[in-house]
Amino acid sequence: MDIAFKKISEFSRGTLFELLKDAYSFEPRYQKDWIEDWKSADDFFYDNLHIADRCGFITVLNDTPIGFMSWDPRKLPAYIEIGHNCIATQHKGKKYGKLQLQEAVDRIRKIGCTKIIVTTDERLLAAQKNYESVGFKLIRLRENKHNPEYAGKLMDYEMLL
């Protein structure tokens, strides 16, 4: 197995959207509620490849995209917020998500910020375990006004660098 992390610009428009759609396919309501956001994120990055390649990457297994990470640096130097973080369904549970997250943390650390923050859903247990496995700490649970019926509360995590 050959895992690598490649520039978003090396892949065609729609790659990020398809990865998100696949990664959240276990719960059809995610797609219903988030499909426009996923399309917008894909469009934003492919319309701004200079940002995409600086603030994200695609994880590949034997040159096939299996996931991606992105982050928002607009609050530097105070913190960077992780945006999308997904692994395709057939590759979940194989530690690729942890490798992907650790790669992102390593890249963000080199930028020189002091904190990384991320929010996930209460019912996404694998995401919670993944963040905690690399050193993120849960700082609060808060009300989810968007999709609480299937996602539960929002969980805010942070990692001090």
Side-chain angles (χ1 to χ4, degrees):
M1 289 181 271
D2 189 20
I3 286 286
F5 307 103
K6 295 191 173 184
K7 292 179 178 182
I8 291 171
S9 63
E10 294 181 45
F11 299 87
S12 62
R13 183 180 292 268
T15 300
L16 306 180
F17 173 74
E18 291 299 326
L19 285 167
L20 285 162
K21 200 165 84 169
D22 179 86
Y24 288 94
S25 63
F26 64 90
E27 172 52 79
R29 292 177 288 185
Y30 274 107
Q31 180 171 327
K32 179 184 165 285
D33 288 343
W34 293 102
I35 194 163
E36 292 305 318
D37 178 75
W38 297 341
K39 286 178 184 174
S40 293
D42 190 271
D43 285 342
F44 173 81
F45 281 122
Y46 283 97
D47 289 343
N48 299 281
L49 288 172
H50 64 289
I51 295 172
D53 289 344
R54 196 177 75 233
C55 299
F57 58 84
I58 293 179
T59 302
V60 297
L61 176 62
N62 301 321
D63 291 321
T64 300
I66 66 163
F68 87 97
M69 287 281 302
S70 64
W71 53 89
D72 183 343
R74 292 178 291 179
K75 300 292 185 185
L76 278 172
Y79 64 88
I80 281 181
E81 183 172 4
I82 290 179
H84 291 294
N85 175 16
C86 72
I87 293 290
T89 300
Q90 78 178 75
H91 299 288
K92 291 180 180 184
K94 300 175 183 176
K95 304 293 182 198
Y96 299 133
K98 184 174 182 176
L99 292 171
Q100 176 175 276
L101 181 56
Q102 189 61 60
E103 177 70 16
V105 168
D106 292 346
R107 289 181 184 203
I108 292 168
R109 183 176 276 123
K110 290 176 185 172
I111 295 169
C113 77
T114 58
K115 180 169 54 174
I116 305 171
I117 65 171
V118 66
T119 299
T120 191
D121 295 343
E122 185 178 30
R123 297 211 177 112
L124 295 179
L125 297 177
Q128 296 164 37
K129 289 179 183 178
N130 193 27
Y131 290 120
E132 292 167 5
S133 76
V134 300
F136 281 85
K137 302 293 184 210
L138 178 65
I139 57 168
R140 85 176 145 258
L141 271 75
R142 58 186 166 95
E143 183 181 3
N144 179 350
K145 295 179 182 178
H146 187 73
N147 56 358
E149 64 281 354
Y150 64 88
K153 292 183 178 181
L154 295 176
M155 302 180 74
D156 296 326
Y157 283 87
E158 71 176 29
M159 174 189 280
L160 300 177
L161 301 175

